[in-house]
Amino acid sequence: MTENLMQFIWKLRLFNTIGLRSTDGEPLILMNFGQHNLNAGPDFLMSHILLGDKEWYGNIELHVRSSDWDRHHHRDDAAYNNVILHVVWVNDKVIYRSDGSVIPTMLLSVYVNQHLLDKYSTMMNTTNWIPCQSQLSSVDVLKKTMWLGALSYERLEMKVQTIFSLLADNDNDWEKVFWIWICRCMGLKVNAEAFHELGEKLPISLLKKYRSDTLKIEAIFFGVAGFLSGNAHDEHVKLLYNEFVYQQVAHGMEVMSAVWKKLRMRPYNFPELRIAQLVALFTDKSLSFSMILDLENLEDARSLFRIEQLSEYWKSRVLPKGKGCTAHSGRIGADTIDILIVNVVVLFLFAYGKYYGIERYIDKAIDFLETLPVEKNAIIKRFGEFDWHAENAAQSQAILQLKKMYCDKRQCLHCRIGAEILRSG
């Protein structure tokens, strides 16, 4: 037994509330269970009980053992002076308020059905991929859909905090943070941190002045990334290196220290090719944060990331040196573009709307998310095997949130699906 489980049982009234008595044998009627307090202080506020022939208004505190009251030093805390009922699982000690009066106690364990405890124990101790795997199909589809709606919004809210932290670290420069985040997302999971560092070290203000000069832009991108050297045999790389050395001395640029990863990576996901695509987005597409705010529909958003053709040098290369390879367009794939819309466009529209309190940007972000197709990944596929299929990107994002923040952490008591399974017969 844990306090979290006790709070869950109390909040949802998952116990027999008829014929209650205090540990002193007095009849107890719960008129108002109270409001769950998620901050410091007693667990449930503004409660109302009838104890014997007396009526009490105040707060309720829950503990696994009654002695936890003293162990938590509540007797010395004025916030607990108005506790009218101490609800415990094991009554191992008489508890007093700071004025010396005894606090009425209720033993919750005698009123809870063992079946609920068994179900909870099974969920907590299972080795299944998700705790409720064997019972998931029993939950009503509408309840699942409603929970996904809440989780989708929760995931956006959580991601936005990262953007706000970056803004605070970068003097509220939305353009700089925008490019940090695009770089990070282009790195996918494997090189996300390395690309994040690249974005932080890129001199965006300077790059904007050079936007029409592809050579300078390419030199700075690849130079900061650490992919240029003076002893290269490739003439184009030599040209980039010399330009970067000049820019580095003139503007004090730093070369990033992160290590790039390529193990078991497809060549078209190599960081060098991704950086070439970033250069094309910056130069040919003139991609900027203001363009995100001006988007009207999903197709316009996709067009922002469509690269028709990389430069002549990159048509047959995935690395900025050595021999060429089979000719390729260098385009960003359709699936990757949709991922960028989810993780960049939607997120920045939502963040900007939240930051300045502009509802139309929040609404546009959610509309894009609900219009985009379901993402393709192992987690979404696995949930589909349990007959829980996402219908759009909003729902697939919600499922990712569910798995990471609830299933993996065994937070079943805070999950509406877990709660529904536990409260069912």
Side-chain angles (χ1 to χ4, degrees):
M1 179 51 60
T2 65
E3 283 189 28
N4 280 339
L5 179 55
M6 288 182 64
Q7 291 169 5
F8 175 82
I9 291 170
W10 186 265
K11 186 176 180 178
L12 297 183
R13 283 89 159 146
L14 301 180
F15 62 97
N16 182 10
T17 59
I18 306 300
L20 299 176
R21 289 186 176 273
S22 70
T23 54
D24 289 336
E26 288 190 276
L28 172 65
I29 300 175
L30 301 170
M31 304 297 292
N32 187 334
F33 285 67
Q35 296 181 8
H36 193 192
N37 177 29
L38 300 178
N39 300 310
D43 294 317
F44 289 86
L45 309 178
M46 296 182 286
S47 307
H48 177 201
I49 67 171
L50 299 178
L51 184 62
D53 58 355
K54 294 182 179 179
E55 195 168 6
W56 296 84
Y57 293 88
N59 305 324
I60 293 175
E61 177 70 1
L62 279 68
H63 283 126
V64 175
R65 295 179 175 273
S66 53
S67 57
D68 290 340
W69 180 278
D70 290 339
R71 191 165 62 85
H72 296 166
H73 306 290
H74 292 333
R75 185 172 182 175
D76 304 322
D77 189 339
Y80 291 84
N81 287 341
N82 197 29
V83 170
I84 58 174
L85 184 66
H86 192 202
V87 179
V88 302
W89 197 257
V90 177
N91 185 33
D92 62 347
K93 187 176 183 180
V94 177
I95 298 302
Y96 301 89
R97 298 187 184 90
S98 57
D99 63 2
S101 60
V102 175
I103 301 177
T105 301
M106 172 188 155
L107 191 61
L108 182 61
S109 54
V110 300
Y111 301 106
V112 176
N113 191 309
Q114 183 62 38
H115 182 53
L116 182 150
L117 302 179
D118 291 342
K119 283 199 292 185
Y120 178 72
S121 178
T122 298
M123 290 170 72
M124 291 299 101
N125 295 298
T126 184
T127 58
N128 287 337
W129 188 65
I130 56 175
C132 65
Q133 187 169 304
S134 60
Q135 301 131 303
L136 190 57
S137 60
S138 67
V139 180
D140 181 73
V141 173
L142 179 59
K143 290 177 180 176
K144 290 180 182 178
T145 302
M146 292 176 65
W147 182 219
L148 290 185
L151 287 172
S152 176
Y153 201 87
E154 178 184 291
R155 186 170 177 83
L156 277 173
E157 289 276 15
M158 195 170 74
K159 285 184 173 181
V160 154
Q161 297 309 312
T162 304
I163 302 302
F164 289 168
S165 295
L166 285 172
L167 283 168
D169 293 339
N170 290 276
D171 300 320
N172 279 357
D173 186 339
W174 283 87
E175 189 71 20
K176 174 66 175 178
V177 172
F178 174 70
W179 272 97
I180 290 174
W181 203 253
I182 285 181
C183 288
R184 182 183 182 88
C185 293
M186 285 289 278
L188 306 178
K189 286 186 178 181
V190 176
N191 280 307
E193 294 303 325
F195 267 97
H196 188 106
E197 185 184 347
L198 171 63
E200 288 186 327
K201 285 188 162 53
L202 286 174
I204 298 301
S205 297
L206 177 66
L207 288 167
K208 286 163 69 176
K209 294 178 182 179
Y210 292 153
R211 197 183 285 273
S212 60
D213 192 329
T214 302
L215 178 69
K216 285 185 171 63
I217 300 295
E218 195 171 0
I220 292 172
F221 267 82
F222 280 100
V224 171
F227 286 125
L228 302 179
S229 65
N231 58 4
H233 298 295
D234 187 294
E235 290 302 319
H236 184 69
V237 174
K238 285 182 182 179
L239 196 62
L240 293 178
Y241 174 76
N242 291 333
E243 179 63 34
F244 176 66
V245 169
Y246 172 80
Q247 296 294 336
Q248 185 181 27
V249 173
H251 302 287
M253 282 179 249
E254 293 182 41
V255 176
M256 55 180 284
S257 58
V259 177
W260 296 104
K261 300 173 184 177
K262 298 181 188 175
L263 186 63
R264 291 188 291 274
M265 183 181 290
R266 294 174 59 213
Y268 297 118
N269 285 328
F270 279 180
E272 293 93 332
L273 185 58
R274 289 298 187 196
I275 292 172
Q277 291 170 338
L278 283 167
V279 170
L281 290 176
F282 196 92
T283 55
D284 297 346
K285 304 295 291 189
S286 298
L287 186 61
S288 66
F289 173 64
S290 61
M291 295 171 73
I292 301 299
L293 298 180
D294 292 337
L295 289 171
E296 292 296 331
N297 54 61
L298 184 56
E299 190 54 33
D300 288 345
R302 285 176 170 144
S303 69
L304 290 181
F305 299 98
R306 288 197 183 109
I307 300 170
E308 294 306 319
Q309 184 74 57
L310 291 182
S311 66
E312 192 69 29
Y313 178 80
W314 284 101
K315 281 183 180 180
S316 58
R317 285 179 173 82
V318 293
L319 300 171
K321 58 186 176 181
K323 297 179 180 180
C325 64
T326 304
H328 61 86
S329 67
R331 294 190 185 100
I332 301 174
D335 289 344
T336 301
I337 287 176
D338 281 353
I339 290 172
L340 288 172
I341 294 174
V342 169
N343 292 318
V344 178
V345 174
V346 168
L347 181 57
F348 272 81
L349 284 171
F350 191 85
Y352 193 81
K354 277 284 180 180
Y355 195 87
Y356 291 107
I358 306 175
E359 288 294 326
R360 73 174 182 276
Y361 291 120
I362 296 173
D363 293 341
K364 190 184 296 183
I366 294 172
D367 180 61
F368 280 179
L369 204 54
E370 291 177 344
T371 306
L372 283 162
V374 175
E375 298 156 86
K376 299 174 183 178
N377 59 58
I379 291 176
I380 305 304
K381 182 179 178 181
R382 192 74 189 276
F383 268 87
E385 293 173 4
F386 305 134
D387 200 29
W388 197 353
H389 303 277
E391 296 180 358
N392 51 47
Q395 290 192 354
S396 56
Q397 281 285 296
I399 287 175
L400 296 177
Q401 181 77 355
L402 174 63
K403 181 67 168 67
K404 181 179 180 181
M405 303 305 297
Y406 294 85
C407 302
D408 290 351
K409 296 182 178 182
R410 294 291 197 269
Q411 292 293 310
C412 304
L413 299 179
H414 302 286
C415 170
R416 293 185 195 175
I417 304 304
E420 181 63 25
I421 290 170
L422 289 172
R423 72 195 301 176
S424 61

